[in-house]
Amino acid sequence: MSAAREETPLRRLARDFARSRVAVIGLAVLVLVMLAAVFAQVVAPQDPYDLAQLDIMDSLQPPGTAGGAGWTYWLGTDDQGRDLWSAIFFGLRTSLEVGILATLIALAVGVAVGMLAAYAGGAVDGAIMRLVDIQLSFPAILIALILLALLGKGVDKVIVALAAVQWAYYARTVRGSALVERRKEYVEAARCLALPHHRIMLRHLLPNCLPPLIVVATVQVAHAIALEATLSFLGVGVPVTEPSLGMLIASGYGFMLSGNYWVALFPGVALLVVIVAINLVGDRLRDVLNPRLSH
Amino acid sequence: MIVFILRRLTQSAVVIAAMAVLVFTGIFAIGNPIDVLISPEADEVERAAAIARLGLDQPMHVQFARFVESAVGGDLGTSFVHGVPALGLVLQRFPATLELALAAMLLAVLLGIPLGLWAGLKPDSVAGRVIMTGSILGFSLPTFWVGMMLIMAFAVQLGWLPAGGRGQTASLFGVQWSFLTRDGLAHLILPAINLATFKLSLVIRLARAGTREVALQDYVKFARAKGLSPARVVGVHILKNIMIPVVTVLGLELGSVIAFSVVTESVFAWPGMGKLLIESILQLDRPVVVAYLLLTVLLFVVINLVVDLIYSMLDPRIRLGGGRA
């Protein structure tokens, strides 16, 4: 077989992944949503946080109302006269930013700690894993609430709190696979070559622990986004100046009882679409990567 | 066994002590309660008097020592906002939360087990697929948004059920309960459904996985071959065996339901201790936040301890493995 046609692991992964149509749709939706969030400034018809573009006469208009500026509010407006469709794009940006950053930080911390536990073994391993067990016995929302009561409001603080909630999952995952890997011969060989410990951990063990980590990380992004939305709804999350989807939904709470359903409904649908799309991709990744985990 | 119990007890004590320090330090940094609690018009003398009365002028370690001393005696300070003992305030709200949590658990079990059984017995049927898709949705939907949609649909649009509050309560054992009155029960339905959604999905998955595993085993085949009615095979032989994992997980999940009721209580203005926590965090009412968090941590530690001990009695392998893990 020629080198060009040789099947790389990545290509095989892509092919296996594409066998599930639902997962591909999920991935497509996810890519679209991320593009929409990144280019919110360009694709949103209105900058909802530029006061000059808002018309207070257009406040709380139901979906489909023609706006003063000559285009239609397809999803209606909120009490400030903001176009909800545009506000959702901007909200997605905050939600995704918080979710992804928190996951990356938690991943880095969790991998470092979990790898250390597996590699060092003994008392270090025992202490770290005891800590992980204790943390995981408390629900995420309780830990996040304690931390936010401690840290106060702010995007950066929410990210820290979410990362602190999540690191334990990665630590446990990476320790599990690193324990299996470190008994294998290639690690023994690397040790015989007297390679430095950090090199064995990062270059030899880590790549072989990646598949389960990818699966856990995908699902955890969805959890982080949902948790951030919940915390923001409760008023302990992101500040009003950087509204996430959770914040948009929270602002709709007050109008719900007067029948202005759209302010809370549509941001929630957007949140749901993001979470379901991530979960579909994560589920498929788990199925595809699983056979490689079993050996 | 005694070593195991001692080790578990020590661990629990360490967790509680660590949480006390963390919670106290955390709440200390939450903001400056002086600005919130004392009217800006108050003159210097009034300010100083109020600060001294609340003990806020002491250095942090003195405040902490005072806090530990009184906490051991069951006194977690006086609420800045309500002016009553914080622990009493939280405990007074506890029955409302407990009622909501138990109602949610009951719903999750009563609906989840039959649905999970059905999906497990007929995994490829339309109903089975619908149930499983529904359970995925139940995992994905954010609780607070579902709650709002429930209010919108059943309270605002249809007008069938009340949108919030506890409704009329009746007294039993000296505590007020909503489920004893018609009005209170009507108020309980939506919040209980909301809080149950996530656990319902979990129970469905557990019951389905259990059913699929058990239904293939020899004793089930034998029961069928013996000529027992399908209802008896499912209702007795299969059901009994899938209940073990379900009951175990639910025991552990009770604490998590109480923690998550923070969200549902806020949406439905249910006057439980979760709603109190959020109000207290927003109002910087330090003693109440501390009392809630310590009480919840204590609850969790006790639940985990009890589950672990029961397990180690039932299954010696856990006890032996406990030393390593």
Side-chain angles (χ1 to χ4, degrees), chain A residues 130 139 149-150 253 256 264 272 279, chain B residues 26 30 140 145 152 267 300 325:
Chain A
R130 182 57 41 105
L150 166 102
Y253 185 80
M256 190 177 67
L272 183 63
N279 282 343
Chain B
I30 194 172
S140 302
W145 188 68
M152 216 122 80
V267 175
F300 262 86

Side-chain angles (χ1 to χ4, degrees), chain B residues 148-172:
Chain B
M148 286 171 70
M149 294 303 115
L150 286 173
I151 294 181
M152 216 122 80
F154 294 101
V156 179
Q157 302 292 337
L158 296 170
W160 291 350
L161 292 165
R166 248 190 121 177
Q168 203 187 340
T169 54
S171 177
L172 181 71

Side-chain angles (χ1 to χ4, degrees), chain B residues 93-234:
Chain B
R93 301 283 199 104
F94 183 66
T97 298
L98 189 69
E99 180 177 26
L100 182 59
L102 290 179
M105 291 291 250
L106 200 67
L107 264 181
V109 172
L110 290 184
L111 290 176
I113 289 179
L115 288 175
L117 261 177
W118 187 276
L121 290 170
K122 299 190 162 71
D124 296 319
S125 67
V126 177
R129 282 167 191 272
V130 169
I131 291 170
M132 284 321 285
T133 313
S135 92
I136 292 172
L137 267 184
F139 274 125
S140 302
L141 288 162
T143 306
F144 72 99
W145 188 68
V146 175
M148 286 171 70
M149 294 303 115
L150 286 173
I151 294 181
M152 216 122 80
F154 294 101
V156 179
Q157 302 292 337
L158 296 170
W160 291 350
L161 292 165
R166 248 190 121 177
Q168 203 187 340
T169 54
S171 177
L172 181 71
F173 306 124
V175 181
Q176 297 293 318
W177 301 99
S178 283
F179 73 97
L180 294 172
T181 68
R182 239 185 113 89
D183 182 51
L185 209 53
H187 280 80
L188 183 60
I189 294 175
L190 287 184
I193 292 176
N194 183 218
L195 192 54
T197 313
F198 195 83
K199 298 301 164 204
L200 177 62
S201 307
L202 186 71
V203 174
I204 289 178
R205 294 195 151 217
L206 284 172
R208 175 179 180 266
T211 309
R212 292 195 71 178
E213 204 181 305
V214 169
L216 298 174
Q217 285 180 10
D218 287 344
Y219 75 87
V220 173
K221 281 185 201 157
F222 179 71
R224 285 217 176 92
K226 207 161 69 166
L228 293 181
S229 69
R232 196 175 157 78
V233 174
V234 173

Side-chain angles (χ1 to χ4, degrees), chain A residues 98-122:
Chain A
V98 170
I100 292 172
L101 275 178
T103 303
L104 288 180
I105 295 173
L107 188 65
V109 174
V111 164
V113 172
M115 191 64 91
L116 183 70
Y119 198 78

Side-chain angles (χ1 to χ4, degrees), chain B:
Chain B
M1 185 68 190
I2 290 170
V3 176
F4 175 78
I5 292 176
L6 280 180
R7 190 164 36 205
R8 271 311 264 106
L9 279 175
T10 323
Q11 190 190 327
S12 304
V14 169
V15 171
I16 290 174
M19 287 311 268
V21 175
L22 182 71
V23 164
F24 182 81
T25 346
I27 302 310
F28 194 85
I30 194 172
N32 189 354
I34 300 168
D35 298 339
V36 182
L37 292 160
I38 301 168
S39 144
E41 280 109 55
D43 58 41
E44 278 305 310
V45 183
E46 282 171 13
R47 272 181 71 94
I51 290 172
R53 182 165 45 84
L54 298 171
L56 296 170
D57 54 343
Q58 305 290 329
M60 199 165 149
H61 65 271
V62 176
Q63 284 197 47
F64 183 67
R66 236 192 225 184
F67 162 74
V68 171
E69 198 182 317
S70 43
V72 173
D75 174 15
L76 290 173
T78 305
S79 161
F80 294 158
V81 177
H82 302 271
V84 295
L87 188 63
L89 195 64
V90 176
L91 284 176
Q92 192 196 328
R93 301 283 199 104
F94 183 66
T97 298
L98 189 69
E99 180 177 26
L100 182 59
L102 290 179
M105 291 291 250
L106 200 67
L107 264 181
V109 172
L110 290 184
L111 290 176
I113 289 179
L115 288 175
L117 261 177
W118 187 276
L121 290 170
K122 299 190 162 71
D124 296 319
S125 67
V126 177
R129 282 167 191 272
V130 169
I131 291 170
M132 284 321 285
T133 313
S135 92
I136 292 172
L137 267 184
F139 274 125
S140 302
L141 288 162
T143 306
F144 72 99
W145 188 68
V146 175
M148 286 171 70
M149 294 303 115
L150 286 173
I151 294 181
M152 216 122 80
F154 294 101
V156 179
Q157 302 292 337
L158 296 170
W160 291 350
L161 292 165
R166 248 190 121 177
Q168 203 187 340
T169 54
S171 177
L172 181 71
F173 306 124
V175 181
Q176 297 293 318
W177 301 99
S178 283
F179 73 97
L180 294 172
T181 68
R182 239 185 113 89
D183 182 51
L185 209 53
H187 280 80
L188 183 60
I189 294 175
L190 287 184
I193 292 176
N194 183 218
L195 192 54
T197 313
F198 195 83
K199 298 301 164 204
L200 177 62
S201 307
L202 186 71
V203 174
I204 289 178
R205 294 195 151 217
L206 284 172
R208 175 179 180 266
T211 309
R212 292 195 71 178
E213 204 181 305
V214 169
L216 298 174
Q217 285 180 10
D218 287 344
Y219 75 87
V220 173
K221 281 185 201 157
F222 179 71
R224 285 217 176 92
K226 207 161 69 166
L228 293 181
S229 69
R232 196 175 157 78
V233 174
V234 173
V236 177
H237 293 83
I238 293 183
L239 191 63
K240 255 190 192 169
N241 283 282
I242 63 168
M243 284 312 282
I244 300 167
V246 173
V247 167
T248 315
V249 171
L250 284 184
L252 285 171
E253 294 289 324
L254 179 64
S256 132
V257 171
I258 289 175
F260 268 93
S261 69
V262 171
V263 179
T264 299
E265 286 175 13
S266 296
V267 175
F268 288 91
W270 185 264
M273 54 180 203
K275 187 165 179 294
L276 180 69
L277 171 72
I278 296 300
E279 288 165 359
S280 304
I281 290 180
L282 298 180
Q283 294 170 329
L284 304 182
D285 194 350
R286 221 197 292 165
V288 181
V289 177
V290 171
Y292 173 89
L293 292 179
L294 285 184
L295 206 66
T296 315
V297 167
L298 190 68
L299 194 69
F300 262 86
V301 169
V302 170
I303 292 177
N304 288 341
L305 186 67
V306 169
V307 171
D308 265 16
L309 290 181
I310 293 177
Y311 255 48
S312 71
M313 273 180 240
L314 296 177
D315 188 347
R317 281 174 300 177
I318 310 262
R319 193 160 64 228
L320 296 174
R324 270 188 306 107

